[in-house]
Amino acid sequence: QVQLVESGGGLVQPGGSLPLYCAASGTPGNYAMGWFRQPLQREREFVASWTLSGATYADSVKGRFTISRDSAENSLYLQMNNLRPEDTAVYSCATQEAPSFGHGDSWLEYSYWGRGTQVTVSS
């Protein structure tokens, strides 16, 4: 059974930093994984992904967020720096069902999702 558990969310001031963690189980460590977010009353949007082609980022977070993968631990990380109020959302990690050379920037490519963790950027 595939299980994804996110942690590390919370409240941070604008300009601050916050790391997010996703622990995966029931799936090999080389499957494509990604982070998505859903602001309140808005649609889910792509944040970053890790595939066999490397990292892909949404334009809105490029240069501020860094995604990394620990295949041995089967974990996915997202280091978020220089946070802005518009980054406020529920952040979820997701995994595909196979390794991929694609960008992994569409939620339709992912089969399994965590429950999400709230990130609030506010002064």
mmCIF file of all heavy atoms in Angstrom, residues 12-55:
data_model
loop_
_atom_site.group_PDB
_atom_site.id
_atom_site.type_symbol
_atom_site.label_atom_id
_atom_site.label_comp_id
_atom_site.label_asym_id
_atom_site.label_seq_id
_atom_site.Cartn_x
_atom_site.Cartn_y
_atom_site.Cartn_z
ATOM 1 N N VAL A 12 4.908 31.310 8.807
ATOM 2 C CA VAL A 12 6.195 31.980 8.648
ATOM 3 C C VAL A 12 5.950 33.388 8.131
ATOM 4 O O VAL A 12 4.972 33.636 7.422
ATOM 5 C CB VAL A 12 7.105 31.179 7.692
ATOM 6 C CG1 VAL A 12 6.507 31.096 6.298
ATOM 7 C CG2 VAL A 12 8.509 31.736 7.653
ATOM 8 N N GLN A 13 6.834 34.308 8.483
ATOM 9 C CA GLN A 13 6.709 35.682 8.027
ATOM 10 C C GLN A 13 7.208 35.824 6.590
ATOM 11 O O GLN A 13 8.043 35.027 6.131
ATOM 12 C CB GLN A 13 7.500 36.612 8.937
ATOM 13 C CG GLN A 13 6.933 36.719 10.337
ATOM 14 C CD GLN A 13 7.659 37.761 11.169
ATOM 15 O OE1 GLN A 13 8.760 38.185 10.842
ATOM 16 N NE2 GLN A 13 7.026 38.177 12.253
ATOM 17 N N PRO A 14 6.715 36.809 5.869
ATOM 18 C CA PRO A 14 7.230 37.049 4.511
ATOM 19 C C PRO A 14 8.746 37.213 4.525
ATOM 20 O O PRO A 14 9.305 37.868 5.408
ATOM 21 C CB PRO A 14 6.532 38.343 4.100
ATOM 22 C CG PRO A 14 5.265 38.333 4.884
ATOM 23 C CD PRO A 14 5.615 37.726 6.216
ATOM 24 N N GLY A 15 9.377 36.582 3.549
ATOM 25 C CA GLY A 15 10.831 36.595 3.482
ATOM 26 C C GLY A 15 11.481 35.453 4.226
ATOM 27 O O GLY A 15 12.700 35.236 4.099
ATOM 28 N N GLY A 16 10.703 34.714 4.977
ATOM 29 C CA GLY A 16 11.238 33.617 5.764
ATOM 30 C C GLY A 16 11.396 32.334 4.959
ATOM 31 O O GLY A 16 11.104 32.283 3.761
ATOM 32 N N SER A 17 11.853 31.283 5.653
ATOM 33 C CA SER A 17 12.096 29.988 5.025
ATOM 34 C C SER A 17 11.368 28.891 5.777
ATOM 35 O O SER A 17 11.108 29.015 6.988
ATOM 36 C CB SER A 17 13.599 29.683 5.010
ATOM 37 O OG SER A 17 14.307 30.636 4.247
ATOM 38 N N LEU A 18 11.100 27.822 5.051
ATOM 39 C CA LEU A 18 10.407 26.682 5.645
ATOM 40 C C LEU A 18 10.734 25.441 4.828
ATOM 41 O O LEU A 18 10.647 25.477 3.594
ATOM 42 C CB LEU A 18 8.897 26.935 5.626
ATOM 43 C CG LEU A 18 8.012 26.210 6.621
ATOM 44 C CD1 LEU A 18 8.389 26.584 8.045
ATOM 45 C CD2 LEU A 18 6.546 26.566 6.364
ATOM 46 N N PRO A 19 11.131 24.348 5.500
ATOM 47 C CA PRO A 19 11.346 23.096 4.767
ATOM 48 C C PRO A 19 10.109 22.215 4.862
ATOM 49 O O PRO A 19 9.429 22.198 5.888
ATOM 50 C CB PRO A 19 12.517 22.461 5.512
ATOM 51 C CG PRO A 19 12.333 22.923 6.927
ATOM 52 C CD PRO A 19 11.624 24.252 6.877
ATOM 53 N N LEU A 20 9.819 21.509 3.793
ATOM 54 C CA LEU A 20 8.758 20.514 3.785
ATOM 55 C C LEU A 20 9.352 19.140 3.530
ATOM 56 O O LEU A 20 10.321 19.009 2.776
ATOM 57 C CB LEU A 20 7.720 20.822 2.700
ATOM 58 C CG LEU A 20 6.924 22.111 2.832
ATOM 59 C CD1 LEU A 20 5.887 22.189 1.711
ATOM 60 C CD2 LEU A 20 6.259 22.224 4.185
ATOM 61 N N TYR A 21 8.769 18.116 4.161
ATOM 62 C CA TYR A 21 9.248 16.753 4.006
ATOM 63 C C TYR A 21 8.092 15.846 3.596
ATOM 64 O O TYR A 21 6.955 16.064 3.998
ATOM 65 C CB TYR A 21 9.830 16.242 5.328
ATOM 66 C CG TYR A 21 10.891 17.107 5.912
ATOM 67 C CD1 TYR A 21 10.569 18.105 6.821
ATOM 68 C CD2 TYR A 21 12.229 16.940 5.568
ATOM 69 C CE1 TYR A 21 11.541 18.917 7.359
ATOM 70 C CE2 TYR A 21 13.211 17.742 6.118
ATOM 71 C CZ TYR A 21 12.866 18.733 7.008
ATOM 72 O OH TYR A 21 13.829 19.541 7.538
ATOM 73 N N CYS A 22 8.403 14.856 2.809
ATOM 74 C CA CYS A 22 7.410 13.870 2.413
ATOM 75 C C CYS A 22 8.058 12.493 2.545
ATOM 76 O O CYS A 22 9.033 12.194 1.858
ATOM 77 C CB CYS A 22 6.939 14.110 0.990
ATOM 78 S SG CYS A 22 5.817 12.841 0.351
ATOM 79 N N ALA A 23 7.504 11.680 3.423
ATOM 80 C CA ALA A 23 7.991 10.316 3.596
ATOM 81 C C ALA A 23 7.095 9.376 2.808
ATOM 82 O O ALA A 23 5.880 9.375 2.997
ATOM 83 C CB ALA A 23 7.977 9.944 5.067
ATOM 84 N N ALA A 24 7.705 8.591 1.914
ATOM 85 C CA ALA A 24 6.947 7.673 1.071
ATOM 86 C C ALA A 24 7.210 6.229 1.488
ATOM 87 O O ALA A 24 8.321 5.877 1.878
ATOM 88 C CB ALA A 24 7.331 7.857 -0.396
ATOM 89 N N SER A 25 6.182 5.416 1.398
ATOM 90 C CA SER A 25 6.325 3.986 1.646
ATOM 91 C C SER A 25 5.454 3.228 0.668
ATOM 92 O O SER A 25 4.465 3.763 0.151
ATOM 93 C CB SER A 25 5.936 3.647 3.093
ATOM 94 O OG SER A 25 4.598 4.008 3.346
ATOM 95 N N GLY A 26 5.844 1.987 0.392
ATOM 96 C CA GLY A 26 5.077 1.161 -0.529
ATOM 97 C C GLY A 26 5.344 1.434 -1.986
ATOM 98 O O GLY A 26 4.604 0.955 -2.856
ATOM 99 N N THR A 27 6.389 2.203 -2.269
ATOM 100 C CA THR A 27 6.734 2.525 -3.651
ATOM 101 C C THR A 27 8.245 2.598 -3.780
ATOM 102 O O THR A 27 8.910 3.045 -2.838
ATOM 103 C CB THR A 27 6.073 3.847 -4.096
ATOM 104 O OG1 THR A 27 6.416 4.113 -5.451
ATOM 105 C CG2 THR A 27 6.536 5.009 -3.236
ATOM 106 N N PRO A 28 8.823 2.167 -4.900
ATOM 107 C CA PRO A 28 10.278 2.235 -5.059
ATOM 108 C C PRO A 28 10.799 3.663 -4.993
ATOM 109 O O PRO A 28 10.068 4.616 -5.273
ATOM 110 C CB PRO A 28 10.512 1.639 -6.454
ATOM 111 C CG PRO A 28 9.326 0.784 -6.686
ATOM 112 C CD PRO A 28 8.185 1.475 -6.019
ATOM 113 N N GLY A 29 12.065 3.794 -4.646
ATOM 114 C CA GLY A 29 12.653 5.113 -4.459
ATOM 115 C C GLY A 29 12.990 5.848 -5.733
ATOM 116 O O GLY A 29 13.477 6.975 -5.679
ATOM 117 N N ASN A 30 12.750 5.265 -6.920
ATOM 118 C CA ASN A 30 13.098 5.950 -8.160
ATOM 119 C C ASN A 30 11.874 6.418 -8.952
ATOM 120 O O ASN A 30 12.008 6.876 -10.085
ATOM 121 C CB ASN A 30 13.960 5.051 -9.050
ATOM 122 C CG ASN A 30 13.215 3.797 -9.496
ATOM 123 O OD1 ASN A 30 12.221 3.413 -8.900
ATOM 124 N ND2 ASN A 30 13.716 3.154 -10.532
ATOM 125 N N TYR A 31 10.688 6.320 -8.363
ATOM 126 C CA TYR A 31 9.500 6.807 -9.053
ATOM 127 C C TYR A 31 9.477 8.335 -9.043
ATOM 128 O O TYR A 31 9.955 8.970 -8.107
ATOM 129 C CB TYR A 31 8.234 6.276 -8.388
ATOM 130 C CG TYR A 31 7.910 4.850 -8.746
ATOM 131 C CD1 TYR A 31 8.796 4.047 -9.433
ATOM 132 C CD2 TYR A 31 6.685 4.294 -8.378
ATOM 133 C CE1 TYR A 31 8.492 2.742 -9.763
ATOM 134 C CE2 TYR A 31 6.370 2.980 -8.694
ATOM 135 C CZ TYR A 31 7.280 2.212 -9.388
ATOM 136 O OH TYR A 31 6.973 0.920 -9.708
ATOM 137 N N ALA A 32 8.897 8.906 -10.077
ATOM 138 C CA ALA A 32 8.774 10.355 -10.162
ATOM 139 C C ALA A 32 7.864 10.867 -9.048
ATOM 140 O O ALA A 32 6.811 10.284 -8.771
ATOM 141 C CB ALA A 32 8.203 10.747 -11.521
ATOM 142 N N MET A 33 8.289 11.954 -8.415
ATOM 143 C CA MET A 33 7.504 12.547 -7.338
ATOM 144 C C MET A 33 7.439 14.055 -7.525
ATOM 145 O O MET A 33 8.273 14.648 -8.216
ATOM 146 C CB MET A 33 8.123 12.227 -5.980
ATOM 147 C CG MET A 33 8.086 10.756 -5.622
ATOM 148 S SD MET A 33 8.638 10.437 -3.921
ATOM 149 C CE MET A 33 7.232 11.111 -2.996
ATOM 150 N N GLY A 34 6.442 14.659 -6.904
ATOM 151 C CA GLY A 34 6.294 16.103 -7.055
ATOM 152 C C GLY A 34 5.581 16.738 -5.880
ATOM 153 O O GLY A 34 5.001 16.055 -5.029
ATOM 154 N N TRP A 35 5.661 18.054 -5.831
ATOM 155 C CA TRP A 35 4.929 18.880 -4.863
ATOM 156 C C TRP A 35 3.911 19.728 -5.619
ATOM 157 O O TRP A 35 4.236 20.344 -6.641
ATOM 158 C CB TRP A 35 5.869 19.810 -4.115
ATOM 159 C CG TRP A 35 6.756 19.142 -3.112
ATOM 160 C CD1 TRP A 35 8.060 18.773 -3.280
ATOM 161 C CD2 TRP A 35 6.401 18.768 -1.777
ATOM 162 N NE1 TRP A 35 8.538 18.188 -2.140
ATOM 163 C CE2 TRP A 35 7.539 18.181 -1.196
ATOM 164 C CE3 TRP A 35 5.241 18.883 -1.002
ATOM 165 C CZ2 TRP A 35 7.543 17.695 0.117
ATOM 166 C CZ3 TRP A 35 5.244 18.398 0.285
ATOM 167 C CH2 TRP A 35 6.399 17.821 0.829
ATOM 168 N N PHE A 36 2.711 19.758 -5.078
ATOM 169 C CA PHE A 36 1.647 20.612 -5.587
ATOM 170 C C PHE A 36 1.082 21.405 -4.415
ATOM 171 O O PHE A 36 1.265 21.033 -3.257
ATOM 172 C CB PHE A 36 0.549 19.769 -6.241
ATOM 173 C CG PHE A 36 0.971 19.139 -7.540
ATOM 174 C CD1 PHE A 36 1.789 18.019 -7.550
ATOM 175 C CD2 PHE A 36 0.550 19.661 -8.759
ATOM 176 C CE1 PHE A 36 2.191 17.436 -8.748
ATOM 177 C CE2 PHE A 36 0.950 19.090 -9.954
ATOM 178 C CZ PHE A 36 1.768 17.978 -9.942
ATOM 179 N N ARG A 37 0.384 22.479 -4.718
ATOM 180 C CA ARG A 37 -0.242 23.268 -3.660
ATOM 181 C C ARG A 37 -1.623 23.730 -4.090
ATOM 182 O O ARG A 37 -1.898 23.853 -5.291
ATOM 183 C CB ARG A 37 0.629 24.467 -3.276
ATOM 184 C CG ARG A 37 0.766 25.523 -4.364
ATOM 185 C CD ARG A 37 1.790 26.583 -3.943
ATOM 186 N NE ARG A 37 1.916 27.648 -4.945
ATOM 187 C CZ ARG A 37 2.829 28.608 -4.884
ATOM 188 N NH1 ARG A 37 3.698 28.654 -3.861
ATOM 189 N NH2 ARG A 37 2.882 29.527 -5.822
ATOM 190 N N GLN A 38 -2.464 23.966 -3.109
ATOM 191 C CA GLN A 38 -3.812 24.439 -3.386
ATOM 192 C C GLN A 38 -4.145 25.567 -2.434
ATOM 193 O O GLN A 38 -4.395 25.321 -1.238
ATOM 194 C CB GLN A 38 -4.844 23.318 -3.266
ATOM 195 C CG GLN A 38 -6.225 23.738 -3.704
ATOM 196 C CD GLN A 38 -7.141 22.557 -3.946
ATOM 197 O OE1 GLN A 38 -6.881 21.445 -3.492
ATOM 198 N NE2 GLN A 38 -8.224 22.783 -4.678
ATOM 199 N N PRO A 39 -4.118 26.814 -2.920
ATOM 200 C CA PRO A 39 -4.553 27.937 -2.090
ATOM 201 C C PRO A 39 -6.044 27.841 -1.819
ATOM 202 O O PRO A 39 -6.788 27.172 -2.562
ATOM 203 C CB PRO A 39 -4.224 29.152 -2.963
ATOM 204 C CG PRO A 39 -3.240 28.669 -3.981
ATOM 205 C CD PRO A 39 -3.613 27.231 -4.227
ATOM 206 N N LEU A 40 -6.485 28.527 -0.796
ATOM 207 C CA LEU A 40 -7.897 28.479 -0.414
ATOM 208 C C LEU A 40 -8.787 28.948 -1.557
ATOM 209 O O LEU A 40 -8.554 29.999 -2.144
ATOM 210 C CB LEU A 40 -8.116 29.344 0.826
ATOM 211 C CG LEU A 40 -9.502 29.277 1.465
ATOM 212 C CD1 LEU A 40 -9.755 27.867 1.994
ATOM 213 C CD2 LEU A 40 -9.620 30.304 2.579
ATOM 214 N N GLN A 41 -9.777 28.149 -1.886
ATOM 215 C CA GLN A 41 -10.761 28.458 -2.924
ATOM 216 C C GLN A 41 -10.135 28.647 -4.304
ATOM 217 O O GLN A 41 -10.690 29.360 -5.153
ATOM 218 C CB GLN A 41 -11.569 29.695 -2.530
ATOM 219 C CG GLN A 41 -12.402 29.488 -1.266
ATOM 220 C CD GLN A 41 -13.253 30.682 -0.909
ATOM 221 O OE1 GLN A 41 -12.911 31.826 -1.233
ATOM 222 N NE2 GLN A 41 -14.360 30.435 -0.249
ATOM 223 N N ARG A 42 -9.012 27.993 -4.532
ATOM 224 C CA ARG A 42 -8.386 28.025 -5.844
ATOM 225 C C ARG A 42 -8.012 26.619 -6.261
ATOM 226 O O ARG A 42 -8.031 25.693 -5.457
ATOM 227 C CB ARG A 42 -7.154 28.934 -5.838
ATOM 228 C CG ARG A 42 -7.487 30.416 -5.703
ATOM 229 C CD ARG A 42 -6.255 31.256 -5.557
ATOM 230 N NE ARG A 42 -5.276 31.051 -6.629
ATOM 231 C CZ ARG A 42 -4.078 31.596 -6.632
ATOM 232 N NH1 ARG A 42 -3.694 32.386 -5.637
ATOM 233 N NH2 ARG A 42 -3.248 31.380 -7.634
ATOM 234 N N GLU A 43 -7.664 26.456 -7.514
ATOM 235 C CA GLU A 43 -7.342 25.131 -8.026
ATOM 236 C C GLU A 43 -5.934 24.714 -7.616
ATOM 237 O O GLU A 43 -5.069 25.546 -7.327
ATOM 238 C CB GLU A 43 -7.464 25.118 -9.548
ATOM 239 C CG GLU A 43 -8.891 25.298 -10.041
ATOM 240 C CD GLU A 43 -8.999 25.130 -11.552
ATOM 241 O OE1 GLU A 43 -7.956 25.007 -12.212
ATOM 242 O OE2 GLU A 43 -10.131 25.117 -12.057
ATOM 243 N N ARG A 44 -5.711 23.413 -7.628
ATOM 244 C CA ARG A 44 -4.400 22.859 -7.350
ATOM 245 C C ARG A 44 -3.416 23.326 -8.414
ATOM 246 O O ARG A 44 -3.748 23.379 -9.604
ATOM 247 C CB ARG A 44 -4.492 21.339 -7.358
ATOM 248 C CG ARG A 44 -3.175 20.613 -7.111
ATOM 249 C CD ARG A 44 -3.396 19.131 -7.353
ATOM 250 N NE ARG A 44 -4.263 18.527 -6.363
ATOM 251 C CZ ARG A 44 -4.875 17.365 -6.553
ATOM 252 N NH1 ARG A 44 -4.725 16.705 -7.676
ATOM 253 N NH2 ARG A 44 -5.629 16.868 -5.595
ATOM 254 N N GLU A 45 -2.188 23.626 -7.982
ATOM 255 C CA GLU A 45 -1.183 24.075 -8.944
ATOM 256 C C GLU A 45 0.157 23.391 -8.687
ATOM 257 O O GLU A 45 0.487 23.014 -7.554
ATOM 258 C CB GLU A 45 -1.006 25.601 -8.880
ATOM 259 C CG GLU A 45 -0.611 26.141 -7.534
ATOM 260 C CD GLU A 45 -0.633 27.666 -7.478
ATOM 261 O OE1 GLU A 45 -1.574 28.268 -8.016
ATOM 262 O OE2 GLU A 45 0.308 28.237 -6.879
ATOM 263 N N PHE A 46 0.896 23.224 -9.748
ATOM 264 C CA PHE A 46 2.203 22.575 -9.694
ATOM 265 C C PHE A 46 3.214 23.471 -8.995
ATOM 266 O O PHE A 46 3.209 24.690 -9.194
ATOM 267 C CB PHE A 46 2.663 22.269 -11.120
ATOM 268 C CG PHE A 46 4.090 21.834 -11.235
ATOM 269 C CD1 PHE A 46 4.476 20.571 -10.812
ATOM 270 C CD2 PHE A 46 5.042 22.675 -11.781
ATOM 271 C CE1 PHE A 46 5.789 20.158 -10.934
ATOM 272 C CE2 PHE A 46 6.351 22.274 -11.908
ATOM 273 C CZ PHE A 46 6.731 21.010 -11.478
ATOM 274 N N VAL A 47 4.081 22.858 -8.180
ATOM 275 C CA VAL A 47 5.146 23.592 -7.520
ATOM 276 C C VAL A 47 6.509 23.132 -8.031
ATOM 277 O O VAL A 47 7.279 23.921 -8.557
ATOM 278 C CB VAL A 47 5.075 23.417 -5.995
ATOM 279 C CG1 VAL A 47 6.261 24.127 -5.329
ATOM 280 C CG2 VAL A 47 3.764 23.941 -5.448
ATOM 281 N N ALA A 48 6.800 21.841 -7.873
ATOM 282 C CA ALA A 48 8.097 21.314 -8.285
ATOM 283 C C ALA A 48 8.006 19.805 -8.402
ATOM 284 O O ALA A 48 7.149 19.178 -7.778
ATOM 285 C CB ALA A 48 9.172 21.688 -7.270
ATOM 286 N N SER A 49 8.881 19.234 -9.209
ATOM 287 C CA SER A 49 8.897 17.792 -9.386
ATOM 288 C C SER A 49 10.322 17.290 -9.499
ATOM 289 O O SER A 49 11.246 18.054 -9.819
ATOM 290 C CB SER A 49 8.111 17.379 -10.637
ATOM 291 O OG SER A 49 8.761 17.882 -11.796
ATOM 292 N N TRP A 50 10.458 15.982 -9.230
ATOM 293 C CA TRP A 50 11.750 15.309 -9.364
ATOM 294 C C TRP A 50 11.553 14.057 -10.177
ATOM 295 O O TRP A 50 10.853 13.150 -9.770
ATOM 296 C CB TRP A 50 12.328 14.967 -7.980
ATOM 297 C CG TRP A 50 13.706 14.413 -8.080
ATOM 298 C CD1 TRP A 50 14.078 13.114 -8.228
ATOM 299 C CD2 TRP A 50 14.922 15.162 -8.074
ATOM 300 N NE1 TRP A 50 15.442 13.005 -8.297
ATOM 301 C CE2 TRP A 50 15.986 14.241 -8.214
ATOM 302 C CE3 TRP A 50 15.210 16.520 -7.971
ATOM 303 C CZ2 TRP A 50 17.314 14.665 -8.237
ATOM 304 C CZ3 TRP A 50 16.535 16.922 -7.984
ATOM 305 C CH2 TRP A 50 17.575 16.004 -8.122
ATOM 306 N N THR A 51 12.158 14.013 -11.363
ATOM 307 C CA THR A 51 12.068 12.841 -12.224
ATOM 308 C C THR A 51 13.474 12.417 -12.632
ATOM 309 O O THR A 51 14.461 13.010 -12.177
ATOM 310 C CB THR A 51 11.234 13.134 -13.476
ATOM 311 O OG1 THR A 51 11.998 14.009 -14.339
ATOM 312 C CG2 THR A 51 9.915 13.808 -13.125
ATOM 313 N N LEU A 52 13.574 11.448 -13.520
ATOM 314 C CA LEU A 52 14.882 11.007 -13.994
ATOM 315 C C LEU A 52 15.593 12.112 -14.782
ATOM 316 O O LEU A 52 16.807 12.060 -14.983
ATOM 317 C CB LEU A 52 14.735 9.754 -14.852
ATOM 318 C CG LEU A 52 14.245 8.515 -14.102
ATOM 319 C CD1 LEU A 52 14.061 7.346 -15.067
ATOM 320 C CD2 LEU A 52 15.212 8.132 -12.982
ATOM 321 N N SER A 53 14.835 13.115 -15.210
ATOM 322 C CA SER A 53 15.417 14.261 -15.926
ATOM 323 C C SER A 53 15.893 15.343 -14.979
ATOM 324 O O SER A 53 16.442 16.352 -15.412
ATOM 325 C CB SER A 53 14.379 14.838 -16.897
ATOM 326 O OG SER A 53 14.050 13.892 -17.895
ATOM 327 N N GLY A 54 15.637 15.156 -13.686
ATOM 328 C CA GLY A 54 16.046 16.149 -12.713
ATOM 329 C C GLY A 54 14.871 16.929 -12.168
ATOM 330 O O GLY A 54 13.745 16.445 -12.150
ATOM 331 N N ALA A 55 15.132 18.157 -11.724
ATOM 332 C CA ALA A 55 14.113 18.983 -11.077
ATOM 333 C C ALA A 55 13.445 19.915 -12.074
ATOM 334 O O ALA A 55 14.093 20.439 -12.984
ATOM 335 C CB ALA A 55 14.733 19.798 -9.958
#
